[in-house]
Amino acid sequence: MHVSVIGAGSFGTVLASVAAANQHRVSLWCHTAEQARTINTQGCNPRYHPELTLGAGILATHDLAACVAEADLVILSVPSKAMAAVCRQVAPYLPAGVGLISTTKGIQADGFLLMSEVIEAACPGYPVGVLSGPNLAAEIAQRHLTASVIASPDGSLRDLARAALSNKYLRLYSATDRISVELGGSLKNIYAIASGLAAALQVGSNTQAALITRALAEMSRLASYLGGNPMTFLGLAGVGDLMVTCTSPLSRNYRVGWLLGQGKTLVEAEAEIGQVAEGINTLELVHAKAQALDVVMPIVEGLHEVIFGQRPARQVAVKLMQAAHTSDVEFVLPRKPGP
Ligand SMILES: NC(=O)C1=CN([C@@H]2O[C@H](COP(=O)(O)OP(=O)(O)OC[C@H]3O[C@@H](n4cnc5c(N)ncnc54)[C@H](O)[C@@H]3O)[C@@H](O)[C@H]2O)C=CC1
Ligand SMILES: O=C(CO)COP(=O)(O)O
């Protein structure tokens, strides 16, 4: 098949290489013409995975129309802030009925929209899916055994995505609960920042375990308000992605937290990483959403105070320890309020 990947950043580059390794024809859209030229001449993306040979089947281009002209499947892998504009630009050129898959783990500020909703608004009538899970691009580039989730209500799209990307080192599981899979990928970035910060402050393993587990509790609470099924968070897109990004220094969000814990400012931390770390934007949006919906999210609240209120992290942690008593596992989570 022909797979078009929109976005030649860290993740898009790796997914293009996977599809090419699976013997598919691949076109890779780059944000700049210069980036496309470099990839075509060097056979790799020197900015992101210089060691990864992309394979002869890949053609990088800065021309969106050309990129998707032959597509059987389109994978969108751009930062969340760029998704709406990129979708509007590509919409007129999409082949009829082609499947669209987002790998973007962020939320659009305008309307608190998930990426699948942004895509559906710009490209109405096309089947839309989401790929999410514990998927550090650098590890896939090294062919470490990796599992992910393809979520869509459309069974044909799920099958197509599995045919495009599954192989000996990447295994795709299927899900229909797209909203939770997508929320899992977006929300965990917040807790990866908190976890990196905690690690820099040399908290113990007990503290890290409590942080990650309570993160799952408050993610589940928000998801159920937004119409998701918190049980989905027990899978790869929830627990799986939380585990990897809350523990691995390869996670950019974890590294933002780590650098903040080392005394860097947010601007310094983001500049040092030089790639997109969606969690800061997501923190602001989720903090406002939780307040609007009256959903209890103490870690979000605490991290927001640290990052935007300049409150010392240790002081906030002590406050969290003294919060009102709640039960450990909440079996009956509040549902989304009525329309
Ligand atoms: N890198 C990873 O390990 C993974 C990343 N993701 C998600 O994939 C999405 C993309 O992440 P990465 O590829 O890692 O980011 P990145 O920072 O490595 O690359 C972003 C790419 O987007 C391009 N870009 C920047 N502004 C743009 C604009 N206005 N319009 C179009 N393109 C623009 C840049 O040129 C760059 O090629 C994020 O939402 C991230 O959370 C998901 C799973 C794994
Ligand atoms: O989502 C990811 C791994 O699953 C990548 O995380 P970062 O964006 O924090 O690097």
Side-chain angles (χ1 to χ4, degrees):
M1 76 173 87
H2 187 120
V3 180
S4 298
V5 180
I6 311 282
S10 178
F11 202 43
T13 303
V14 165
L15 290 180
S17 81
V18 170
N22 291 355
Q23 309 300 320
H24 302 301
R25 281 172 297 128
V26 180
S27 45
L28 175 61
W29 179 77
C30 302
H31 190 210
T32 64
E34 175 58 26
Q35 200 180 23
R37 256 193 311 275
T38 310
I39 291 175
N40 286 333
T41 44
Q42 298 192 16
C44 69
N45 188 339
R47 166 123 202 245
Y48 296 105
H49 308 284
E51 77 293 352
L52 181 68
T53 306
L54 291 182
I58 297 185
L59 184 68
T61 175
H62 176 53
D63 181 339
L64 259 180
C67 183
V68 299
E70 316 251 297
D72 297 302
L73 181 68
V74 176
I75 299 175
L76 292 139
S77 196
V78 294
S80 57
K81 283 186 173 167
M83 183 65 93
V86 168
C87 285
R88 278 195 298 270
Q89 251 180 292
V90 79
Y93 308 110
L94 291 172
V98 71
L100 310 176
I101 291 177
S102 163
T103 76
T104 299
K105 293 177 174 176
I107 294 170
Q108 176 176 282
D110 185 12
F112 196 83
L113 294 183
L114 301 178
M115 290 302 111
S116 59
E117 297 169 324
V118 172
I119 296 169
E120 280 172 345
C123 312
Y126 290 89
V128 176
V130 165
L131 183 77
S132 193
N135 299 156
L136 293 166
E139 293 200 354
I140 302 177
Q142 291 172 45
R143 302 197 169 187
H144 286 302
L145 304 185
T146 298
S148 193
V149 184
I150 173 68
S152 174
D154 186 310
S156 311
L157 179 56
R158 295 196 301 267
D159 292 345
L160 202 63
R162 289 177 51 240
L165 298 173
S166 307
N167 60 23
K168 282 188 285 190
Y169 55 92
L170 182 58
R171 179 172 166 83
L172 265 57
Y173 291 81
S174 294
T176 51
D177 181 16
R178 191 180 71 186
I179 182 171
S180 305
V181 167
E182 202 164 8
L183 272 172
S186 301
L187 296 176
K188 61 84 192 175
N189 287 328
I190 296 174
Y191 305 103
I193 296 171
S195 188
L197 174 58
L201 298 179
Q202 298 185 313
V203 304
S205 304
N206 288 350
T207 315
Q208 287 287 16
L211 173 61
I212 294 170
T213 314
R214 292 313 299 170
L216 191 63
E218 63 180 59
M219 281 167 63
S220 303
R221 216 176 289 131
L222 180 68
S224 62
Y225 267 85
L226 297 176
N229 179 356
M231 291 303 285
T232 303
F233 284 170
L234 297 185
L236 290 161
V239 173
D241 212 357
L242 258 184
M243 281 178 68
V244 77
T245 40
C246 288
T247 59
S248 172
L250 287 177
S251 155
R252 286 89 43 103
N253 288 287
Y254 179 96
R255 288 210 304 276
V256 167
W258 172 271
L259 291 168
L260 292 175
Q262 301 284 324
K264 300 267 165 84
T265 64
L266 184 55
V267 173
E268 287 168 344
E270 289 189 309
E272 188 166 327
I273 287 159
Q275 293 182 19
V276 66
E278 297 269 9
I280 295 291
N281 185 42
T282 310
L283 172 64
E284 285 197 86
L285 299 177
V286 168
H287 180 256
K289 191 71 174 175
Q291 286 198 331
L293 291 176
D294 203 17
V295 181
V296 181
M297 300 188 81
I299 302 172
V300 163
E301 182 69 39
L303 189 65
H304 195 270
E305 277 181 44
V306 173
I307 294 183
F308 298 107
Q310 269 75 45
R311 198 143 169 225
R314 287 187 196 282
Q315 208 183 84
V316 169
V318 168
K319 190 176 120 189
L320 287 179
M321 291 299 284
Q322 290 161 357
H325 179 253
T326 56
S327 57
D328 175 18
V329 178
E330 295 154 68
F331 286 103
V332 182
L333 288 154
R335 304 300 312 169
K336 188 180 180 187

